[in-house]
Amino acid sequence: MTELTLEDRRERAVLCGIDTGAYDAESSMEELRELTRTAGADVAAEVLQSRESPDSALYLGEGKLQEVLDFVRGLENSPDAVDLLIFDDELSPSQLRNLEKRTGLRVVDRTMLILDIFAGRARSREGKLQVELAQLQYRLPRIGGQGLALSRLGGGIGTRGPGESKLESDRRHIQRRITAIRRELKQVEKRRSTLRSSRARRGVQSVVLVGYTNAGKSTLMNQLTDAGVLTEDKLFATLDPTARALRLPSGRTVMLIDTVGLIRRLPHQLVEAFHSTLEEAAAADVILNVCDASSPECDEHLRVTQDLLSELGAAGIPTIPVLNKCDLVVRPDLIPATKEKVCISALRGTGLTALLEAVEDALPGTRLRCTFRFPFAELARVSELREDGVVYAESYEDDGLVLDILCSAALAKKHEAFLEETDHS
């Protein structure tokens, strides 16, 4: 049997949080524990202190931090030694410096932990750029250094005296990189917008999966479309959006789009960085808000997702609460009594027919398949329809042009005097 080396040992962390009453601190700590596991570390202990507000210098109070230090020192030089402290909040630059100096351990805050997970999960060029942007935005106000002690002194006329400090140089480099990434992501966003416009012109409607991370969105995507998306029992298993054609029971085809998972108190850097991806929800025809029905936090997860959708301007879009993992629910009476909810098990494939029927009912009838008959004197009307819709067939007959086209309901009404047949499916 191969002996376990130091490199093979998983890092061990002490989790630290504060309960100010502003949110459910215990649930947040449970989430931090799962984030820590996802990042590849084991939890040695957890500390949750009740305070009116975090200490401005050390986050925890002096006494509580000393308790943590005593615990850590008691495990020194043992296989269970603690490697780092993880805090359930975003620490200020001074708090980070003070804690590392006081404890001699690596200190990671909630935002840094989530960014680390994202960095390891991103696969596409866009995903990697979005994560890098979020990391740089986080790092910029936290750049430390020795200031002028690291100055580059020149030799010769015009170069004497203190040069640019390492701190200033690093800050300028990060600013340049942020500008470059934003420029590249704007191009990505422009391509996304063009694709959305193209889908709209072709009458392709979109259904977007949103929801709390690890709720089973990727499993549902695979069940409905055979997309082959990675599924794993970890937070943020997939970051890159996936789009596949989905055929509804009536034969109508829509585009099903998966998005990055959400989380309670998602760092604002990530919301901004993944804005172009999350915008798919704001442009959707129907949103599926997927949550884990077996989680005691199911109601809260639905609310977190709905709040972010409102921030993105998607509040008015038809939204179906999809309660996944219903096969794991021990007491069905505890499932949230949400209006128009659909209960499914994506893993077992149950409830999917009801879900597809609910999607079909929720889709707005904005596009219609119509057959028009235009007299030759009215052919000028045809160009407007062609620009808006998709032509399936057209033929010239003795009395004019017969046009089979998918177009907007508004244009169908505008030219209804020449309408022969409408197919709402």
Side-chain angles (χ1 to χ4, degrees):
M1 184 175 178
T2 306
E3 185 179 350
L4 188 70
T5 65
L6 187 62
E7 289 74 15
D8 297 324
R9 176 181 174 274
R10 284 168 63 92
E11 289 184 308
R12 288 173 56 78
V14 173
L15 309 187
C16 306
I18 283 181
D19 185 0
T20 62
Y23 53 85
D24 188 340
E26 290 187 2
S27 295
S28 188
M29 287 294 286
E30 286 178 17
E31 192 172 82
L32 187 69
R33 188 188 315 132
E34 186 63 22
L35 286 166
T36 301
R37 184 181 74 85
T38 300
D42 293 326
V43 177
E46 296 181 23
V47 174
L48 183 60
Q49 183 181 26
S50 294
R51 287 178 61 98
E52 290 186 2
S53 61
D55 183 82
S56 59
L58 297 169
Y59 186 76
L60 295 175
E62 285 275 359
K64 187 61 69 174
L65 183 61
Q66 188 58 50
E67 286 181 26
V68 173
L69 282 174
D70 291 343
F71 173 79
V72 169
R73 286 165 183 162
L75 294 175
E76 282 181 354
N77 304 317
S78 77
D80 295 327
V82 173
D83 304 287
L84 71 161
L85 304 179
I86 300 179
F87 288 78
D88 190 32
D89 218 327
E90 183 169 309
L91 301 176
S92 69
S94 61
Q95 286 172 330
L96 275 169
R97 285 194 301 271
N98 293 338
L99 285 165
E100 288 184 342
K101 184 177 180 180
R102 178 74 174 269
T103 65
L105 294 170
R106 275 188 298 120
V107 175
V108 174
D109 66 14
R110 182 184 178 89
T111 300
M112 197 186 308
L113 180 64
I114 294 173
L115 289 175
D116 183 76
I117 295 169
F118 269 55
R121 300 282 179 174
R123 293 292 178 268
S124 70
R125 172 67 177 161
E126 178 186 4
K128 290 176 180 177
L129 283 172
Q130 288 169 326
V131 172
E132 185 184 355
L133 175 61
Q135 288 177 318
L136 292 174
Q137 288 174 323
Y138 173 83
R139 281 182 55 200
L140 189 58
R142 291 169 174 78
I143 298 174
Q146 300 173 38
L148 293 179
L150 295 177
S151 295
R152 293 192 295 269
L153 301 181
I157 297 173
T159 64
R160 297 187 180 93
E164 181 181 51
S165 72
K166 176 74 162 55
L167 180 65
E168 292 164 346
S169 174
D170 287 348
R171 186 174 284 120
R172 280 199 311 109
H173 173 73
I174 289 176
Q175 288 282 21
R176 282 198 303 267
R177 183 59 185 152
I178 286 175
T179 301
I181 292 174
R182 280 181 169 157
R183 190 182 303 120
E184 192 166 346
L185 284 175
K186 277 195 176 297
Q187 293 301 314
V188 173
E189 194 171 337
K190 187 176 180 181
R191 287 196 293 272
R192 280 191 184 280
S193 179
T194 301
L195 284 173
R196 284 195 290 265
S197 299
S198 175
R199 288 200 300 263
R201 283 196 303 273
R202 291 183 285 115
V204 178
Q205 293 177 305
S206 63
V207 177
V208 174
L209 294 168
V210 299
Y212 211 76
T213 181
N214 209 29
K217 298 191 307 301
S218 296
T219 302
L220 179 58
M221 183 86 175
N222 289 339
Q223 278 280 12
L224 295 176
T225 67
D226 296 323
V229 179
L230 170 69
T231 57
E232 195 175 351
D233 185 22
K234 286 186 178 180
L235 303 186
F236 307 116
T238 53
L239 293 184
D240 301 316
T242 306
R244 295 289 186 274
L246 171 64
R247 193 171 182 83
L248 299 176
S250 67
R252 186 180 189 178
T253 299
V254 296
M255 189 67 68
L256 184 65
I257 303 171
D258 192 9
T259 59
V260 64
L262 309 178
I263 196 169
R264 188 189 284 105
R265 294 158 61 217
L266 188 68
H268 65 87
Q269 295 97 337
L270 284 172
V271 174
E272 181 183 347
F274 281 82
H275 191 74
S276 63
T277 304
L278 294 170
E279 267 188 345
E280 292 289 356
D285 294 287
V286 173
I287 294 172
L288 302 184
N289 185 353
V290 185
C291 74
D292 179 357
S294 67
S295 168
E297 299 295 311
C298 185
D299 275 326
E300 177 70 6
H301 294 177
L302 285 171
R303 187 194 62 75
V304 167
T305 305
Q306 199 59 51
D307 287 349
L308 186 54
L309 289 174
S310 298
E311 287 179 29
L312 293 168
I317 297 172
T319 302
I320 301 172
V322 181
L323 305 186
N324 188 28
K325 307 184 185 181
C326 284
D327 55 314
L328 302 179
V329 176
V330 178
R331 290 184 55 191
D333 57 301
L334 295 181
I335 293 178
T338 308
K339 185 182 177 183
E340 298 176 348
K341 70 177 183 291
V342 179
C343 295
I344 69 166
S345 169
L347 186 62
R348 298 182 183 278
T350 57
L352 300 186
T353 300
L355 175 60
L356 293 177
E357 289 171 352
V359 169
E360 196 132 43
D361 291 341
L363 280 169
T366 55
R367 310 288 289 182
L368 302 174
R369 177 118 179 227
C370 303
T371 301
F372 295 95
R373 185 179 292 272
F374 291 103
F376 289 113
E378 301 288 345
L379 290 185
R381 295 172 175 266
V382 177
S383 61
E384 183 179 24
L385 284 163
R386 283 192 180 122
E387 287 177 8
D388 171 77
V390 178
V391 176
Y392 290 102
E394 58 180 294
S395 61
Y396 287 94
E397 299 186 2
D398 293 341
D399 57 345
L401 174 68
V402 177
L403 181 67
D404 179 6
I405 189 170
L406 183 73
C407 65
S408 68
L411 277 182
K413 183 172 179 60
K414 180 178 179 180
H415 302 291
E416 64 182 344
F418 308 96
L419 190 60
E420 284 198 339
E421 185 182 347
T422 303
D423 182 359
H424 290 267
S425 65

